[in-house]
Amino acid sequence: MKRVRPLKALMMTVWGVAMWAGCSGKPAAPAAPPPREVEVVTLAPKEVRDTGEYLGSLQSRQSINVLPQVAGYVRRIHVRPGQKVEEGTPLIEVDAREETAALDSAEAQHNSTEVNLELARRTLTRTEALYKEGLASAQEMERAQAQVDAAQAASRSSAAQVAQRQVQLQYHVVRAPFAGTAGDVLVRVGDFVSATTSLTSVAQADVLEVSVAVPSTRARALKPDTVLEVLDAQGKVLISSTLFFVAPQADPRTQLVEVKAAFRNTIGLRPSELVRARLVYSTRNALQLPALAVVRQSGQPFALVLEEKDGKTVVMRRPITLGALGEMAYVVEGGLKEGDRVAVSSLQALRDGMPVKVKSTPAPRAEAAPSGGGVATGAIH
């Protein structure tokens, strides 16, 4: 009997099965597709912050409007707007010719009294000598002593007048009371000024205060060490400090409570500038879920969690409760636990109970991001 080669026999068997299937009218079942590869994130607790953003205003801790102490015409302006000045730097000079003349007159009067005092003393010395020799009476002695006393009193009075005129003359040069930055110069040479005329301002910008008004309900959670952060337009922290002042009462009209923090100005901020400010009310550890991993249906958020069933890795849709949204991540308040693996890719193609395969290079975990509510609104004490 002739033997059939194994390969030929195998081909005949496959052909026979195909013929049988064709004759029976039932197509062969297709092979199951391989599990879809997905990226996952493993949940772990991270520090999250309860924050609120508000509009803050910057104030100088040392700022003053400069007024003259005398009346007169502006003779010279020594400062430019925005110029850095040191303590005692001349700012404005008021015409002092009249006061200078008065000082010269007072000094001349003082010189005259000094001459009279010297003459009275010499007269007293001669009278004392004559009195000892019996050539002068006691009345003449008393008269000479009285002239010396009167001349001394006149000398002291004239000296006081000179000192007064010198002090008054100094008022005609308005100087910076402390180091800072000069504001706009509001007068011009030739203007007449009085003691109520505002000349310019001097503000110290090295140390600034940021003032924020917060709702009274949130102010109850504030503590002396509460952190306040100054942000730029993109939300990046420019500088941070801690509160040193919380108003003891709310504004009766707005029901807002003023809080303040002070910081050393190393970033070029200016007094009276409006800035974004963020208060950190509290911090805690919580799970965070990337915003892209959240699936919503009828307003209910879900997460696709990887589970092991029958030796396979499948995704299960699980309802979750979300907290505040930070930067690209939600705070998870319920529905998930530490160690859960959540799919973060191909979410639209995944179905409940569908087998999946974790990619060999998982997606990086979401960084902890500040979370907060409210409307958008460093340390010196």
Side-chain angles (χ1 to χ4, degrees):
M1 182 176 182
K2 189 175 181 181
R3 298 179 61 184
V4 181
R5 294 181 180 179
L7 179 58
K8 185 176 180 180
L10 178 60
M11 294 178 60
M12 292 180 64
T13 303
V14 173
W15 177 81
V17 171
M19 290 295 294
W20 176 83
C23 293
S24 62
K26 295 181 179 181
R36 179 180 290 272
E37 288 190 348
V38 295
E39 297 178 355
V40 301
V41 61
T42 302
L43 300 184
K46 301 181 182 68
E47 184 182 86
V48 296
R49 306 187 302 173
D50 177 19
T51 64
E53 288 193 15
Y54 307 93
L55 184 65
S57 62
L58 299 181
Q59 303 170 357
S60 172
R61 300 199 84 180
Q62 218 172 5
S63 178
I64 187 173
N65 288 325
V66 180
L67 305 176
Q69 293 181 272
V70 294
Y73 291 95
V74 176
R75 186 177 183 183
R76 187 174 300 173
I77 298 176
H78 297 276
V79 70
R80 300 185 307 275
Q83 179 180 336
K84 298 287 186 180
V85 295
E86 299 296 329
E87 181 179 354
T89 301
L91 304 177
I92 306 291
E93 183 177 338
V94 180
D95 187 10
R97 288 174 293 182
E98 182 178 351
E99 194 62 38
T100 301
L103 176 60
D104 292 341
S105 176
E107 288 177 343
Q109 183 67 28
H110 178 61
N111 292 335
S112 177
T113 57
E114 286 292 313
V115 171
N116 291 336
L117 175 60
E118 182 62 24
L119 178 60
R121 285 172 177 170
R122 290 179 181 180
T123 302
L124 177 61
T125 301
R126 289 193 298 268
T127 304
E128 287 177 344
L130 294 174
Y131 178 75
K132 291 178 181 179
E133 296 178 359
L135 300 177
S137 63
Q139 185 178 5
E140 291 175 335
M141 182 69 180
E142 292 174 355
R143 186 182 300 112
Q145 183 63 52
Q147 289 177 349
V148 170
D149 294 341
Q152 287 178 339
S155 178
R156 288 195 298 268
S157 176
S158 62
Q161 289 291 331
V162 171
Q164 180 182 3
R165 293 298 180 181
Q166 288 174 342
V167 172
Q168 194 72 16
L169 184 62
Q170 292 177 1
Y171 292 157
H172 286 260
V173 179
V174 182
R175 301 179 182 272
F178 49 82
T181 303
D184 188 19
V185 179
L186 305 177
V187 295
R188 298 292 180 266
V189 175
D191 289 350
F192 182 84
V193 297
S194 64
T196 60
T197 304
S198 180
L199 303 179
T200 183
S201 62
V202 177
Q204 192 178 70
D206 295 338
V207 177
L208 296 179
E209 293 178 359
V210 55
S211 175
V212 174
V214 302
S216 56
T217 53
R218 302 231 66 181
R220 298 167 192 159
L222 294 176
K223 300 177 182 178
D225 59 347
T226 298
V227 175
L228 186 147
E229 299 170 338
V230 178
L231 312 177
D232 63 6
Q234 288 73 37
K236 181 182 178 182
V237 178
L238 295 176
I239 199 166
S240 64
S241 182
T242 55
L243 298 182
F244 74 89
F245 172 76
V246 178
Q249 60 184 15
D251 188 309
R253 296 173 300 173
T254 62
Q255 289 300 295
L256 299 177
V257 177
E258 184 184 22
V259 299
K260 291 183 179 181
F263 60 91
R264 194 164 299 281
N265 184 19
T266 59
I267 52 179
L269 297 175
R270 297 179 179 273
S272 302
E273 186 177 344
L274 297 179
V275 295
R276 291 176 61 186
R278 180 165 62 203
L279 281 169
V280 183
Y281 291 102
S282 63
T283 58
R284 61 189 175 97
N285 287 329
L287 299 178
Q288 286 189 295
L289 183 65
L292 296 177
V294 178
V295 178
R296 296 183 182 273
Q297 183 176 358
S298 301
Q300 170 65 47
F302 293 87
L304 298 177
V305 184
L306 274 65
E307 298 181 2
E308 300 294 333
K309 285 190 176 182
D310 300 330
K312 297 181 181 180
T313 302
V314 298
V315 292
M316 302 299 296
R317 192 174 65 169
R318 185 182 301 177
I320 56 177
T321 303
L322 299 178
L325 174 63
E327 295 180 3
M328 307 298 293
Y330 284 99
V331 176
V332 179
E333 301 293 351
L336 297 174
K337 62 182 184 298
E338 181 180 355
D340 281 345
R341 297 183 299 168
V342 180
V344 295
S345 66
S346 306
L347 301 185
Q348 300 300 325
L350 300 180
R351 298 293 180 267
D352 199 24
M354 180 178 177
V356 293
K357 179 182 178 182
V358 179
K359 280 190 177 181
S360 57
T361 304
R365 295 183 179 182
E367 296 293 334
S371 60
V375 180
T377 42
I380 302 290
H381 299 283

